[in-house]
Amino acid sequence: NQPIGWRNLSELVKKAHSVAYRVTKEEALDLPETTDIIRKVTFEDNTKKLYKQFVKDSYTELSKGEVTAANVLTRLLRLQQITGGFLRPDDESDRYETVSTAKIEALEDIIDTCVSEGKKLVIIARFIPEINEICKLLECKGIKYAKICGEVKDRAFEVSEFQNNPECAVFVGQLQTVSMGLTLTAASTLVFYSLSYNYADYSQARARIHRIGQRNTCQYIHLVVKDTIDETVLDALKAKANIATKIVDDWRSIIK
């Protein structure tokens, strides 16, 4: 049998549009408003020096070598790891070194405020070491939390605990794992501890609290280390741009 392939595509599209039309979530649903807050974080002096040295080394290595998407993305990844407070010795190692507590301390203030006000909180982070540090902080404070990342098998249970258990005050999720399908409307505040370069992941993560069943204004808090890659990534996401598509030609403006 010969494959049919595409035939009469324009006619098919025309017929489909005669019986269907597209609407956005905002047009279809009566959802509450959203507000965005950028919480600026300042590195410790030693971490600031470490970060600047890594940027300098990145410029040197990329300027004298072959500039490829993989090379630039690896450098960006390392810079984001530093802003998150940790750094891996090498790509193969599972170990990581803590190089800053600036972000986790800023997050602690937010957690304390939400808990004291009796509000639930969603925290989204990109990297597993960040997830581990956040969970360790919650455990030290005796705060019950739910968690979804790559290693968690029973995700339905974790969501149910957060949604239905009054004692479960915080939901911690890895960005790539929770960006689709979950309902976390028990909270109206979401903290982005760190971000990826993918706008779809960012947009979908925001929708976890801003969906049917949400009655309160949704607040998104972005933890951003001043004068770092954090600002570049957030600016790109606001513009709905994909950093990965322009990194080779414009890497000098991205790495900072």
Side-chain angles (χ1 to χ4, degrees), residues 90-104:
D90 54 70
D91 290 339
E92 286 74 28
S93 176
D94 290 331
R95 297 183 302 105
Y96 65 91
E97 302 171 4
T98 299
V99 296
S100 172
T101 59
K103 238 184 205 185
I104 199 73

Side-chain angles (χ1 to χ4, degrees), residues 100-141:
S100 172
T101 59
K103 238 184 205 185
I104 199 73
E105 288 172 2
L107 177 64
E108 184 175 9
D109 288 341
I110 297 169
I111 292 171
D112 289 345
T113 299
C114 285
V115 170
S116 67
E117 294 176 353
K119 296 179 180 178
K120 292 199 175 194
L121 178 67
V122 174
I123 304 169
I124 302 295
R126 180 180 182 184
F127 302 108
I128 289 296
E130 294 172 337
I131 299 285
N132 292 340
E133 289 300 311
I134 293 166
C135 292
K136 187 188 301 182
L137 172 63
L138 294 169
E139 289 164 8
C140 288
K141 288 179 169 293

Side-chain angles (χ1 to χ4, degrees), residues 204-222:
Q204 287 296 325
R206 290 174 64 96
R208 296 314 97 215
I209 65 171
H210 193 240
R211 57 197 291 113
I212 293 174
Q214 182 60 262
R215 295 185 174 89
N216 301 311
T217 297
C218 291
Q219 182 181 74
Y220 301 98
I221 303 174
H222 303 76

